[in-house]
Amino acid sequence: MSVIRLALCCGLAVTAFLVADARAEMVVLESTQPQFKRGDHLPGDKIETSGFAAGGRVKVLVLETQTTREFVGPKMTSPMIGGMRGLPHKKP
Amino acid sequence: MRMPRRHLATAAWVLFGTICVMLTIAFTHGPDGPLNWVPDQTIEKLSPRSSAQSRKVVLAYVTDATLEKLPYIAPIDRQVLADVVKAVDQAGAAVIGLDFIFDRKSERPKDEALIAALRQARAKVVLGALDNRSPVGSADLGWQSEFFERAKPAELGHLYFDEARQSFARSDHVVRSIAAAGPHDLYQKSFAEALAAAAGSNALLPTRTIAWLRPSQNGDDVFLTLSADDLLGAGANLPLKQLLGGKIVIIAGDFPDRDQHFTPLSYETQYPGAFVHAQALAQILDGRSLFAPTGVGQIATGAAFFLLGIWLGRREIADRYHRAIETTAVICLVVLSILSFALFSVLLPVTAIFIGGTLGIAAGHYSMRKHI
């Protein structure tokens, strides 16, 4: 009996976690990434940034907490050597 | 031919010293760097995080995108500013601050529209001001005064920041404090203090050094940050009343060519001036402070550690165990600087302590009779 109760509680907890995550929703405010357009509504409260271009950024409003958050891709410059990725080295 | 062991040790020390010097140069911005980078690193790593995004302060930026269909970007189109002020006011903001300089006329109907929007706002309006500290002509300051008289803001505050200025080193252009007003300066309150006053707080900045807030750990911005497009309905359809109702909204420009500043929080990122004002404002509202001794305070601290160094340098034990003592002193200095910041919000002048202490130990050591 206690095992069944334990299983039920675990199931409820997992469901609550999934529902809470699904309820979290973001609105894209600004984006330099083509896959995210301004005004898009996205589920969850995180964006996978590994596919972003160097220097790419997406700014969102998390509706549930009413906070703004910025997701950024890899940096274009290194603080140590100052190298640049994705941009021409010579100025025009 | 094998190198003698003592030469190997010397070579190792020379290599170690060279690496240390190269790392120091790499991590700092020249000989004056250590004066600032130790406190900056302390601030960047140990400043309090906002547990939740500031519930009181909102930043609303006019950007290049906002003005992309207009023929000019400077001065910022005042009809756009009037529309943004109206939108923020209709959303129920308690205080509206404009971090812009109004020292010249633009297009008359647009100037009039902005003045009307500011006068009719239900929220308290705070405007940023220039005074005799800026190299602007009396005609410009006169136009600014006239604009203020007609717009009738609740408060006015100067927009000046301060940088580390030393007689023997270049400024690194990192904003660490809000400028203090001199007795002859027209505007005594800073913009942040004026905003706080409009929000009902009579508190002033306890010290001029800004007590920074780091972003919260979940990645939220320190302050709710929107663009003017969002406020004007050109972007996403947002619940503006919920987002701005009862808050202090600072409307400012975020352009790559002006009013961008390095801060102790940024290694290579520059922040708009309004972000710095918002940090000072949040500090006033939260009752936080940060004390960083400057000038006489640094000299006095250095002198105290010079005397301590002389006393230590004259001890026989210091002569015998000098390596262990030096290592322990450096570790103690690091721990003390961390503790003083974390517990008492004081930035120890570590460079002055290090120089004073080292000179004192050397002076004490060589003043002993056996060395004379």
Side-chain angles (χ1 to χ4, degrees), chain B residues 18-273:
Chain B
T18 309
I19 290 171
C20 285
V21 168
M22 288 177 74
L23 283 176
T24 306
I25 291 169
F27 280 115
T28 63
H29 299 279
D32 58 318
L35 292 173
N36 296 316
W37 72 259
V38 174
D40 287 352
Q41 290 283 328
T42 311
I43 288 170
E44 190 197 346
K45 301 284 186 299
L46 297 175
S47 285
R49 287 184 184 277
S50 53
S51 55
Q53 199 165 70
S54 172
R55 299 287 173 200
K56 300 166 190 164
V57 184
V58 177
L59 291 169
Y61 288 129
V62 178
T63 64
D64 271 332
T66 317
L67 307 176
E68 67 180 347
K69 290 178 183 163
L70 297 170
Y72 59 88
I73 58 167
I76 292 166
D77 189 284
R78 290 188 180 154
Q79 183 63 55
V80 171
L81 288 185
D83 294 341
V84 175
V85 168
K86 282 182 200 166
V88 172
D89 193 45
Q90 281 169 8
V95 177
I96 299 175
L98 267 74
D99 178 15
F100 295 102
I101 294 166
F102 300 107
D103 63 344
R104 244 169 229 213
K105 65 182 177 185
S106 65
E107 298 168 75
R108 190 174 174 83
K110 295 182 176 179
D111 288 346
E112 295 299 324
L114 178 58
I115 288 170
L118 294 172
R119 284 179 72 121
Q120 290 162 10
R122 286 167 299 172
K124 288 186 178 173
V125 171
V126 177
L127 298 179
L130 299 182
D131 58 22
N132 45 305
R133 281 169 274 187
S134 291
V136 291
S138 56
D140 295 337
L141 291 179
W143 198 90
Q144 179 186 252
S145 299
E146 192 185 320
F147 181 84
F148 290 161
E149 277 173 27
R150 294 192 60 207
K152 295 198 182 309
E155 294 279 349
L156 291 166
H158 73 74
L159 295 168
Y160 300 107
F161 303 136
D162 214 352
E163 299 167 359
R165 294 174 201 281
Q166 293 131 14
S167 53
F168 57 90
R170 288 172 287 114
S171 167
D172 54 7
H173 301 296
V174 175
V175 172
R176 298 182 180 87
S177 53
I178 300 290
H184 302 297
D185 295 330
L186 185 56
Y187 300 105
Q188 294 287 311
K189 271 185 197 167
S190 67
F191 187 56
E193 290 167 330
L195 286 164
S201 165
N202 289 321
L204 301 175
L205 284 166
T207 65
R208 307 319 294 179
T209 308
I210 300 168
W212 302 89
L213 266 183
R214 290 187 296 161
S216 57
Q217 273 177 326
N218 64 5
D220 285 348
D221 298 328
V222 179
F223 306 104
L224 181 73
T225 308
L226 302 171
S227 77
D229 292 350
D230 299 323
L231 302 174
L232 297 174
N237 192 18
L238 302 179
L240 291 182
K241 287 192 176 173
Q242 290 174 39
L243 294 173
L244 308 183
K247 294 189 181 169
I248 304 169
V249 181
I250 301 175
I251 304 169
D254 182 5
F255 297 92
D257 64 338
R258 71 194 95 146
D259 199 21
Q260 296 286 328
H261 306 275
F262 288 112
T263 74
L265 299 180
S266 51
Y267 190 86
E268 55 186 3
T269 314
Q270 289 188 304
Y271 291 94

Side-chain angles (χ1 to χ4, degrees), chain A residues 1 4 8 12 17-18 27 30 33 36-37 40 43-44 57 59-60 63-64 66-67 69-73 81 86 92:
Chain A
M1 187 64 181
I4 294 170
L8 276 172
L12 276 172
F17 177 78
L18 291 174
V27 184
E30 295 166 29
Q33 299 304 296
F36 299 104
K37 296 270 187 281
D40 281 356
R57 60 187 277 273
K59 189 174 184 65
V60 300
L63 287 174
E64 193 181 359
Q66 296 192 350
T67 54
R69 196 176 293 178
E70 197 166 272
F71 297 93
V72 292
I81 54 173

